[in-house]
Coordinates of all heavy atoms in Angstrom, one line a residue:
M1 N 20.1 13.5 -4.5 CA 20.9 12.3 -4.4 C 20.6 11.4 -5.6 O 19.4 11.1 -5.8 CB 20.6 11.6 -3.1 CG 21.4 10.3 -3.0 SD 21.1 9.6 -1.3 CE 20.3 8.1 -1.8
D2 N 21.6 11.0 -6.3 CA 21.3 10.1 -7.5 C 21.4 8.7 -7.0 O 22.4 8.3 -6.2 CB 22.4 10.4 -8.5 CG 22.3 11.7 -9.2 OD1 21.1 12.2 -9.3 OD2 23.3 12.3 -9.6
C3 N 20.4 7.9 -7.3 CA 20.4 6.5 -6.9 C 21.0 5.7 -8.1 O 20.7 5.9 -9.3 CB 19.0 6.0 -6.6 SG 18.3 6.8 -5.2
V4 N 21.7 4.7 -7.7 CA 22.3 3.7 -8.7 C 22.1 2.3 -8.2 O 22.1 2.1 -7.0 CB 23.8 4.0 -9.1 CG1 23.9 5.4 -9.7 CG2 24.6 4.0 -7.8
T5 N 22.1 1.4 -9.1 CA 22.1 0.0 -8.8 C 23.6 -0.4 -8.3 O 24.5 0.4 -8.4 CB 21.7 -0.9 -9.9 OG1 22.6 -0.8 -11.0 CG2 20.3 -0.6 -10.4
R6 N 23.7 -1.7 -7.9 CA 25.0 -2.1 -7.4 C 26.1 -2.0 -8.5 O 27.2 -1.7 -8.2 CB 24.9 -3.6 -7.0 CG 26.2 -4.1 -6.4 CD 26.2 -5.5 -6.0 NE 24.9 -6.2 -5.9 CZ 24.7 -7.3 -5.3 NH1 25.7 -7.9 -4.7 NH2 23.5 -7.9 -5.3
D7 N 25.7 -2.2 -9.8 CA 26.7 -2.1 -10.8 C 26.8 -0.7 -11.5 O 27.4 -0.5 -12.5 CB 26.5 -3.1 -11.9 CG 25.2 -3.0 -12.7 OD1 24.5 -2.0 -12.4 OD2 25.0 -3.8 -13.6
G8 N 26.1 0.3 -10.8 CA 26.3 1.7 -11.2 C 25.2 2.2 -12.2 O 25.3 3.4 -12.6
R9 N 24.3 1.4 -12.6 CA 23.2 1.9 -13.5 C 22.3 2.9 -12.7 O 22.0 2.6 -11.6 CB 22.4 0.8 -14.1 CG 23.1 0.0 -15.1 CD 22.3 -1.2 -15.6 NE 22.4 -2.3 -14.6 CZ 21.8 -3.4 -14.6 NH1 20.9 -3.6 -15.6 NH2 22.0 -4.3 -13.7
P10 N 21.8 3.9 -13.4 CA 20.9 4.9 -12.7 C 19.6 4.2 -12.4 O 19.1 3.3 -13.1 CB 20.7 6.0 -13.7 CG 21.4 5.6 -14.9 CD 22.1 4.3 -14.7
W11 N 19.0 4.5 -11.2 CA 17.7 3.9 -10.8 C 17.0 5.0 -10.0 O 17.5 5.7 -9.2 CB 18.0 2.7 -9.9 CG 16.7 2.1 -9.3 CD1 15.7 1.5 -10.0 CD2 16.3 2.2 -8.0 NE1 14.7 1.1 -9.2 CE2 15.0 1.5 -7.9 CE3 16.8 2.7 -6.8 CZ2 14.3 1.4 -6.7 CZ3 16.1 2.6 -5.6 CH2 14.9 1.9 -5.6
Q12 N 15.7 5.2 -10.3 CA 14.9 6.1 -9.7 C 13.8 5.4 -8.8 O 13.0 4.7 -9.4 CB 14.1 7.0 -10.7 CG 13.2 8.0 -10.1 CD 13.9 9.0 -9.2 OE1 15.0 9.5 -9.5 NE2 13.4 9.3 -8.0
P13 N 13.9 5.5 -7.5 CA 12.8 4.9 -6.7 C 11.4 5.4 -7.0 O 11.3 6.6 -7.4 CB 13.2 5.3 -5.3 CG 14.6 5.7 -5.3 CD 14.8 6.3 -6.7
D14 N 10.5 4.5 -7.0 CA 9.1 4.9 -7.3 C 8.3 4.5 -6.0 O 7.7 3.5 -5.9 CB 8.6 4.1 -8.5 CG 7.4 4.7 -9.2 OD1 7.1 5.9 -9.0 OD2 6.7 4.0 -9.9
Y15 N 8.2 5.5 -5.1 CA 7.7 5.2 -3.7 C 6.1 5.1 -3.8 O 5.5 5.8 -4.5 CB 8.1 6.4 -2.8 CG 9.5 6.5 -2.6 CD1 10.2 7.5 -3.2 CD2 10.2 5.6 -1.8 CE1 11.6 7.6 -3.0 CE2 11.6 5.7 -1.6 CZ 12.3 6.7 -2.2 OH 13.6 6.8 -2.1
L16 N 5.6 4.3 -2.9 CA 4.1 4.2 -2.7 C 3.7 5.5 -2.0 O 4.2 5.7 -0.9 CB 3.8 3.0 -1.9 CG 2.3 2.8 -1.6 CD1 1.5 2.7 -2.9 CD2 2.1 1.5 -0.8
L17 N 2.8 6.3 -2.6 CA 2.4 7.5 -2.0 C 1.0 7.4 -1.4 O 0.7 8.0 -0.4 CB 2.4 8.6 -3.1 CG 3.7 8.9 -3.8 CD1 3.6 9.9 -4.9 CD2 4.8 9.3 -2.8
S18 N 0.1 6.6 -2.0 CA -1.2 6.5 -1.5 C -1.9 5.2 -2.1 O -1.4 4.7 -3.1 CB -2.1 7.7 -1.7 OG -2.2 7.9 -3.1
I19 N -3.0 4.8 -1.4 CA -3.8 3.7 -1.9 C -5.2 4.2 -1.9 O -5.7 4.7 -0.9 CB -3.7 2.5 -1.0 CG1 -2.2 2.0 -0.9 CG2 -4.6 1.4 -1.5 CD1 -2.0 1.0 0.2
N20 N -5.9 4.1 -3.1 CA -7.3 4.5 -3.2 C -8.2 3.5 -2.6 O -8.4 2.4 -3.2 CB -7.6 4.8 -4.7 CG -9.0 5.4 -4.9 OD1 -9.9 5.3 -4.0 ND2 -9.2 6.0 -6.0
P21 N -8.9 3.7 -1.5 CA -9.7 2.7 -0.9 C -11.0 2.4 -1.7 O -11.6 1.4 -1.5 CB -10.1 3.3 0.5 CG -9.9 4.8 0.3 CD -8.8 4.9 -0.7
A22 N -11.4 3.4 -2.6 CA -12.6 3.1 -3.4 C -12.3 2.1 -4.5 O -13.2 1.5 -5.0 CB -13.0 4.4 -4.0
V23 N -11.0 1.9 -4.8 CA -10.6 1.0 -5.9 C -10.0 -0.3 -5.4 O -10.2 -1.3 -6.0 CB -9.6 1.8 -6.9 CG1 -9.2 0.9 -8.0 CG2 -10.3 3.0 -7.4
C24 N -9.3 -0.2 -4.3 CA -8.7 -1.4 -3.7 C -9.7 -2.5 -3.3 O -10.8 -2.2 -2.8 CB -7.9 -1.0 -2.4 SG -7.1 -2.3 -1.6
I25 N -9.4 -3.7 -3.7 CA -10.3 -4.8 -3.4 C -9.8 -5.6 -2.2 O -10.4 -6.6 -1.8 CB -10.5 -5.7 -4.6 CG1 -9.2 -6.3 -5.1 CG2 -11.2 -5.0 -5.7 CD1 -9.3 -7.4 -6.2
G26 N -8.7 -5.2 -1.6 CA -8.2 -5.9 -0.4 C -7.7 -7.3 -0.6 O -7.8 -8.2 0.3
C27 N -7.2 -7.6 -1.8 CA -6.7 -8.9 -2.1 C -5.5 -9.3 -1.4 O -5.2 -10.5 -1.2 CB -6.5 -9.1 -3.6 SG -5.1 -8.1 -4.3
G28 N -4.7 -8.3 -1.0 CA -3.5 -8.6 -0.2 C -2.2 -8.9 -1.0 O -1.2 -9.2 -0.4
R29 N -2.3 -8.9 -2.3 CA -1.1 -9.2 -3.1 C 0.0 -8.3 -2.8 O 1.2 -8.7 -2.7 CB -1.5 -9.2 -4.6 CG -2.4 -10.3 -5.0 CD -2.8 -10.2 -6.5 NE -3.8 -11.2 -6.8 CZ -4.5 -11.2 -7.9 NH1 -4.3 -10.3 -8.8 NH2 -5.4 -12.2 -8.1
C30 N -0.3 -7.0 -2.7 CA 0.8 -6.0 -2.4 C 1.4 -6.3 -1.1 O 2.6 -6.2 -0.9 CB 0.2 -4.6 -2.5 SG -1.2 -4.3 -1.5
F31 N 0.6 -6.6 -0.1 CA 1.1 -6.9 1.2 C 2.0 -8.1 1.2 O 3.1 -8.1 1.9 CB -0.1 -7.2 2.2 CG 0.3 -7.5 3.6 CD1 0.6 -6.5 4.5 CD2 0.3 -8.8 4.0 CE1 0.9 -6.7 5.8 CE2 0.7 -9.1 5.3 CZ 1.0 -8.1 6.2
K32 N 1.7 -9.1 0.4 CA 2.5 -10.3 0.4 C 3.9 -10.1 -0.3 O 4.9 -10.7 0.1 CB 1.8 -11.4 -0.4 CG 0.6 -11.9 0.4 CD -0.2 -12.9 -0.5 CE -1.4 -13.4 0.3 NZ -2.3 -14.2 -0.6
V33 N 4.0 -9.1 -1.2 CA 5.3 -8.9 -1.9 C 6.1 -7.9 -1.2 O 7.3 -7.7 -1.4 CB 5.2 -8.5 -3.4 CG1 4.5 -9.6 -4.1 CG2 4.4 -7.2 -3.5
C34 N 5.5 -7.1 -0.2 CA 6.3 -6.1 0.5 C 6.8 -6.6 1.8 O 6.0 -7.0 2.7 CB 5.4 -4.9 0.7 SG 6.2 -3.6 1.7
G35 N 8.1 -6.7 1.9 CA 8.7 -7.2 3.2 C 9.0 -6.1 4.2 O 9.7 -6.3 5.1
R36 N 8.5 -4.9 3.9 CA 8.9 -3.8 4.7 C 7.8 -3.2 5.6 O 8.0 -2.2 6.3 CB 9.4 -2.7 3.8 CG 10.5 -3.2 2.9 CD 11.7 -2.4 2.6 NE 12.0 -1.3 3.4 CZ 13.1 -1.3 4.2 NH1 13.8 -2.4 4.3 NH2 13.4 -0.3 5.0
G37 N 6.6 -3.8 5.6 CA 5.5 -3.4 6.5 C 4.9 -2.0 6.1 O 4.5 -1.3 7.0
V38 N 5.0 -1.7 4.8 CA 4.5 -0.4 4.4 C 3.0 -0.3 4.4 O 2.4 0.7 4.7 CB 5.0 -0.1 2.9 CG1 4.4 1.2 2.4 CG2 6.5 0.0 2.9
M39 N 2.3 -1.4 4.2 CA 0.8 -1.5 4.1 C 0.3 -2.4 5.2 O 1.0 -3.3 5.6 CB 0.4 -2.0 2.7 CG 0.8 -1.1 1.6 SD 0.9 -2.0 0.1 CE 2.5 -2.8 0.2
T40 N -1.0 -2.2 5.4 CA -1.7 -3.2 6.3 C -3.2 -3.2 5.9 O -3.7 -2.3 5.2 CB -1.6 -2.7 7.8 OG1 -2.1 -3.8 8.6 CG2 -2.4 -1.5 8.1
L41 N -3.9 -4.3 6.2 CA -5.3 -4.5 5.8 C -6.1 -3.9 6.9 O -5.9 -4.2 8.1 CB -5.6 -6.0 5.7 CG -6.9 -6.4 5.0 CD1 -6.9 -5.9 3.6 CD2 -7.0 -7.9 5.1
R42 N -7.1 -3.0 6.5 CA -8.0 -2.4 7.5 C -9.4 -2.4 7.0 O -9.6 -2.6 5.8 CB -7.5 -0.9 7.7 CG -6.2 -0.7 8.3 CD -6.2 -1.0 9.8 NE -7.0 -0.1 10.5 CZ -6.7 1.1 10.9 NH1 -5.5 1.6 10.6 NH2 -7.5 1.8 11.6
G43 N -10.3 -2.3 7.9 CA -11.7 -2.3 7.6 C -12.2 -0.9 7.1 O -11.6 0.1 7.5
I44 N -13.2 -0.9 6.2 CA -13.8 0.3 5.7 C -15.3 0.2 6.1 O -16.0 -0.9 5.9 CB -13.7 0.4 4.2 CG1 -12.2 0.5 3.8 CG2 -14.5 1.5 3.6 CD1 -11.6 1.8 4.1
D45 N -15.9 1.3 6.6 CA -17.3 1.3 6.9 C -18.2 1.6 5.7 O -17.6 1.8 4.6 CB -17.6 2.2 8.1 CG -17.4 3.7 7.8 OD1 -17.3 4.0 6.6 OD2 -17.3 4.5 8.7
D46 N -19.5 1.6 5.9 CA -20.4 1.8 4.7 C -20.3 3.2 4.1 O -20.8 3.4 3.0 CB -21.8 1.4 5.1 CG -22.4 2.2 6.2 OD1 -21.6 3.0 6.8 OD2 -23.5 2.0 6.6
E47 N -19.7 4.1 4.8 CA -19.5 5.5 4.3 C -18.1 5.6 3.6 O -17.8 6.7 3.2 CB -19.6 6.5 5.4 CG -21.1 6.5 6.0 CD -21.2 7.4 7.2 OE1 -20.2 8.1 7.5 OE2 -22.3 7.5 7.7
G48 N -17.3 4.6 3.6 CA -16.0 4.6 2.9 C -14.9 5.1 3.8 O -13.8 5.4 3.3
N49 N -15.1 5.2 5.1 CA -14.1 5.6 6.1 C -13.3 4.4 6.6 O -13.9 3.4 6.9 CB -14.7 6.4 7.2 CG -15.5 7.6 6.8 OD1 -15.0 8.4 6.0 ND2 -16.7 7.8 7.3
V50 N -12.0 4.6 6.8 CA -11.2 3.6 7.4 C -11.6 3.5 8.9 O -11.7 4.5 9.6 CB -9.7 3.9 7.3 CG1 -8.8 2.9 8.0 CG2 -9.3 4.0 5.9
V51 N -11.8 2.3 9.4 CA -12.3 2.0 10.7 C -11.0 1.8 11.6 O -10.1 1.1 11.2 CB -13.2 0.7 10.7 CG1 -13.6 0.4 12.2 CG2 -14.4 1.0 9.9
D52 N -11.0 2.4 12.8 CA -9.9 2.2 13.7 C -9.8 0.7 14.1 O -10.9 0.0 14.2 CB -10.1 3.0 15.0 CG -9.9 4.5 14.7 OD1 -9.2 4.9 13.8 OD2 -10.6 5.3 15.4
D53 N -8.6 0.3 14.4 CA -8.4 -1.1 14.8 C -9.4 -1.6 15.9 O -10.0 -2.7 15.9 CB -7.0 -1.4 15.3 CG -6.0 -1.4 14.2 OD1 -6.4 -1.7 13.0 OD2 -4.8 -1.2 14.4
E54 N -9.6 -0.8 17.0 CA -10.4 -1.2 18.1 C -11.9 -1.2 17.7 O -12.7 -1.8 18.4 CB -10.1 -0.2 19.3 CG -10.4 1.2 19.0 CD -9.1 2.0 18.6 OE1 -8.1 1.4 18.4 OE2 -9.3 3.2 18.3
D55 N -12.3 -0.5 16.7 CA -13.7 -0.5 16.3 C -14.1 -1.6 15.3 O -15.2 -1.7 14.9 CB -14.1 0.9 15.7 CG -13.9 2.0 16.7 OD1 -14.1 1.7 17.9 OD2 -13.7 3.2 16.3
E56 N -13.1 -2.3 14.8 CA -13.3 -3.3 13.7 C -14.2 -4.5 14.2 O -14.9 -5.1 13.4 CB -12.0 -3.9 13.2 CG -11.4 -2.9 12.2 CD -10.3 -3.6 11.4 OE1 -10.2 -4.8 11.3 OE2 -9.5 -2.8 10.8
D57 N -14.3 -4.7 15.5 CA -15.1 -5.8 16.1 C -16.6 -5.4 16.3 O -17.4 -6.2 16.6 CB -14.5 -6.3 17.4 CG -13.2 -7.0 17.2 OD1 -13.0 -7.5 16.1 OD2 -12.4 -7.0 18.1
D58 N -16.9 -4.1 16.0 CA -18.2 -3.6 16.3 C -19.2 -3.9 15.2 O -20.4 -3.5 15.2 CB -18.2 -2.1 16.5 CG -17.5 -1.7 17.8 OD1 -17.3 -2.5 18.6 OD2 -17.1 -0.5 17.9
G59 N -18.8 -4.6 14.1 CA -19.6 -4.9 13.0 C -19.8 -3.8 12.0 O -20.7 -3.8 11.2
D60 N -19.0 -2.7 12.1 CA -19.1 -1.6 11.2 C -18.3 -1.8 9.9 O -18.4 -0.9 9.1 CB -18.6 -0.3 11.9 CG -19.5 0.1 13.1 OD1 -20.7 -0.3 13.1 OD2 -19.0 0.8 14.0
V61 N -17.6 -2.9 9.8 CA -16.8 -3.1 8.6 C -17.6 -3.7 7.5 O -18.2 -4.7 7.6 CB -15.6 -4.0 9.0 CG1 -14.8 -4.4 7.7 CG2 -14.7 -3.4 10.0
E62 N -17.6 -2.9 6.4 CA -18.3 -3.4 5.2 C -17.4 -4.2 4.3 O -17.8 -5.2 3.7 CB -18.8 -2.2 4.4 CG -19.5 -2.6 3.1 CD -20.1 -1.4 2.4 OE1 -21.0 -0.7 3.0 OE2 -19.7 -1.1 1.3
R63 N -16.1 -3.8 4.3 CA -15.1 -4.6 3.5 C -13.7 -4.2 4.0 O -13.6 -3.3 4.8 CB -15.2 -4.3 2.0 CG -15.0 -2.9 1.6 CD -15.4 -2.6 0.2 NE -15.1 -1.2 -0.2 CZ -13.9 -0.8 -0.8 NH1 -13.0 -1.7 -1.1 NH2 -13.7 0.5 -1.1
R64 N -12.7 -4.9 3.5 CA -11.3 -4.6 3.9 C -10.5 -4.1 2.7 O -10.7 -4.6 1.6 CB -10.7 -5.8 4.6 CG -11.4 -6.2 5.8 CD -10.7 -7.2 6.6 NE -11.4 -7.6 7.8 CZ -11.4 -6.9 9.0 NH1 -10.7 -5.8 9.0 NH2 -12.0 -7.3 10.0
V65 N -9.6 -3.2 3.0 CA -8.7 -2.7 2.0 C -7.3 -2.5 2.5 O -7.2 -2.4 3.8 CB -9.2 -1.3 1.4 CG1 -10.6 -1.5 0.7 CG2 -9.3 -0.3 2.4
M66 N -6.4 -2.3 1.7 CA -5.0 -2.0 2.1 C -4.9 -0.5 2.4 O -5.5 0.3 1.6 CB -4.0 -2.4 1.1 CG -3.9 -3.9 0.8 SD -3.8 -5.0 2.2 CE -2.2 -4.6 2.8
V67 N -4.2 -0.2 3.4 CA -3.9 1.3 3.7 C -2.5 1.4 4.0 O -1.8 0.4 4.4 CB -4.8 1.8 4.9 CG1 -6.3 1.7 4.6 CG2 -4.5 1.0 6.2
M68 N -2.0 2.6 4.0 CA -0.6 2.9 4.3 C -0.4 2.7 5.8 O -1.1 3.2 6.6 CB -0.2 4.3 4.0 CG -0.4 4.6 2.5 SD 0.8 3.9 1.4 CE 2.2 4.9 1.8
A69 N 0.6 1.9 6.2 CA 0.9 1.7 7.6 C 2.2 2.4 8.0 O 2.3 3.0 9.1 CB 1.0 0.2 7.9
D70 N 3.2 2.4 7.2 CA 4.5 3.0 7.5 C 5.1 3.4 6.1 O 6.0 2.8 5.6 CB 5.4 2.0 8.2 CG 6.7 2.6 8.6 OD1 6.9 3.8 8.5 OD2 7.6 1.8 9.2
A71 N 4.7 4.5 5.6 CA 5.1 5.1 4.3 C 6.6 5.3 4.3 O 7.3 5.1 3.3 CB 4.4 6.4 4.0
G72 N 7.2 5.6 5.4 CA 8.7 5.9 5.5 C 9.5 4.6 5.3 O 10.7 4.7 5.0
A73 N 8.9 3.5 5.4 CA 9.6 2.2 5.2 C 9.7 1.8 3.7 O 10.5 0.9 3.4 CB 9.0 1.1 6.0
C74 N 9.0 2.5 2.9 CA 9.0 2.1 1.4 C 10.4 2.5 0.8 O 10.9 3.6 1.0 CB 7.9 2.9 0.7 SG 7.8 2.6 -1.1
I75 N 10.9 1.5 0.0 CA 12.2 1.8 -0.6 C 12.0 2.1 -2.1 O 13.0 2.3 -2.8 CB 13.1 0.6 -0.4 CG1 12.5 -0.7 -1.0 CG2 13.5 0.4 1.0 CD1 13.5 -1.9 -1.1
G76 N 10.8 2.1 -2.6 CA 10.5 2.5 -4.0 C 10.8 1.4 -5.0 O 11.0 1.7 -6.1
C77 N 10.7 0.1 -4.6 CA 11.0 -0.9 -5.5 C 9.9 -1.2 -6.5 O 10.1 -1.7 -7.6 CB 11.3 -2.2 -4.8 SG 9.8 -3.0 -3.9
G78 N 8.6 -0.8 -6.2 CA 7.5 -0.9 -7.2 C 6.9 -2.3 -7.2 O 6.1 -2.6 -8.1
A79 N 7.3 -3.3 -6.4 CA 6.8 -4.6 -6.4 C 5.3 -4.6 -6.2 O 4.5 -5.4 -6.9 CB 7.5 -5.5 -5.4
C80 N 4.8 -3.8 -5.3 CA 3.4 -3.7 -5.0 C 2.6 -3.3 -6.2 O 1.5 -3.8 -6.5 CB 3.1 -2.8 -3.8 SG 3.7 -1.1 -4.0
A81 N 3.1 -2.3 -7.0 CA 2.4 -1.9 -8.2 C 2.3 -3.0 -9.3 O 1.3 -3.1 -10.0 CB 3.1 -0.6 -8.8
R82 N 3.4 -3.8 -9.4 CA 3.4 -4.8 -10.4 C 2.4 -5.9 -10.1 O 1.9 -6.6 -11.1 CB 4.8 -5.4 -10.5 CG 5.8 -4.4 -11.2 CD 7.1 -5.1 -11.5 NE 7.8 -5.5 -10.4 CZ 8.6 -4.8 -9.6 NH1 8.7 -3.5 -9.9 NH2 9.3 -5.3 -8.6
V83 N 2.0 -6.2 -8.9 CA 1.1 -7.2 -8.6 C -0.4 -6.8 -8.3 O -1.3 -7.6 -8.2 CB 1.5 -8.1 -7.3 CG1 2.9 -8.7 -7.6 CG2 1.5 -7.2 -6.1
C84 N -0.6 -5.5 -8.3 CA -2.0 -4.9 -8.0 C -2.9 -5.1 -9.2 O -2.6 -4.6 -10.3 CB -1.9 -3.5 -7.6 SG -3.5 -2.8 -7.2
P85 N -4.0 -5.9 -9.0 CA -4.9 -6.1 -10.1 C -5.8 -4.9 -10.5 O -6.5 -4.9 -11.5 CB -5.7 -7.3 -9.7 CG -5.7 -7.2 -8.2 CD -4.4 -6.6 -7.8
T86 N -5.9 -3.9 -9.6 CA -6.8 -2.8 -9.8 C -6.2 -1.5 -10.0 O -6.8 -0.5 -10.2 CB -7.8 -2.7 -8.6 OG1 -7.0 -2.4 -7.4 CG2 -8.6 -3.9 -8.4
D87 N -4.8 -1.4 -10.0 CA -4.1 -0.2 -10.1 C -4.6 0.9 -9.2 O -4.8 2.0 -9.6 CB -4.2 0.3 -11.6 CG -3.2 1.3 -11.9 OD1 -2.1 1.4 -11.3 OD2 -3.5 2.2 -12.8
C88 N -4.8 0.6 -7.9 CA -5.3 1.5 -6.9 C -4.3 2.3 -6.2 O -4.6 3.1 -5.4 CB -6.2 0.7 -5.9 SG -5.2 -0.4 -4.9
Q89 N -3.0 2.1 -6.5 CA -1.9 2.8 -5.8 C -1.3 3.9 -6.7 O -1.3 3.9 -7.9 CB -0.8 1.8 -5.5 CG -1.3 0.6 -4.8 CD -0.2 -0.5 -4.8 OE1 0.8 -0.5 -5.4 NE2 -0.5 -1.5 -4.0
A90 N -0.9 5.0 -6.0 CA -0.2 6.1 -6.6 C 1.2 6.0 -6.2 O 1.5 5.8 -5.0 CB -0.8 7.4 -6.2
H91 N 2.1 6.1 -7.1 CA 3.6 6.0 -6.9 C 4.3 7.3 -7.5 O 3.8 7.9 -8.4 CB 4.2 4.8 -7.5 CG 3.7 3.5 -6.9 ND1 4.4 2.8 -6.0 CD2 2.5 2.8 -7.1 CE1 3.7 1.7 -5.7 NE2 2.6 1.7 -6.3
G92 N 5.4 7.6 -6.9 CA 6.2 8.7 -7.4 C 7.4 9.0 -6.5 O 7.8 8.2 -5.7
A93 N 8.0 10.1 -6.8 CA 9.2 10.5 -6.0 C 8.7 11.0 -4.6 O 7.6 11.4 -4.4 CB 9.9 11.7 -6.7
A94 N 9.7 10.9 -3.7 CA 9.3 11.2 -2.3 C 9.0 12.7 -2.1 O 9.2 13.5 -2.8 CB 10.5 10.9 -1.4

């Protein structure tokens, strides 16, 4: 399927495919520009594993990072990539 803008110019969506938790600083800039709920802020333990929501109150959280919440909601606009100060996201075709 070829994508085009409203006036017919070709456009290729650049979908968010992943977020590298080792590089993400959890600043939330990407979350703020995305109105589709694609990402959410989650805790990371001292071993680098994403902590389940219910375990975040156990004191196991070393820091917080953005993680994929609903990848299917991404429309490929690329706004999150433009505001990310660490370039921790991978984007591409679906």
Side-chain angles (χ1 to χ4, degrees):
M1 177 176 117
D2 293 330
C3 294
V4 295
T5 62
R6 186 182 345 197
D7 66 358
R9 286 178 279 175
W11 176 69
Q12 179 62 45
D14 200 20
Y15 299 106
L16 178 61
L17 303 176
S18 65
I19 302 170
N20 184 340
V23 180
C24 178
I25 60 173
C27 67
R29 292 177 185 170
C30 56
F31 180 80
K32 290 176 185 173
V33 299
C34 179
R36 307 215 26 105
V38 175
M39 299 155 280
T40 191
L41 193 63
R42 294 288 296 278
I44 297 288
D45 65 15
D46 58 356
E47 295 176 0
N49 300 313
V50 175
V51 177
D52 290 332
D53 285 338
E54 57 271 1
D55 295 334
E56 284 195 13
D57 293 332
D58 294 341
D60 292 337
V61 174
E62 180 176 297
R63 62 190 183 94
R64 297 191 179 280
V65 297
M66 297 309 293
V67 298
M68 302 288 286
D70 186 3
C74 181
I75 60 171
C77 69
C80 56
R82 289 190 296 277
V83 298
C84 182
T86 63
D87 194 29
C88 66
Q89 303 167 353
H91 293 262

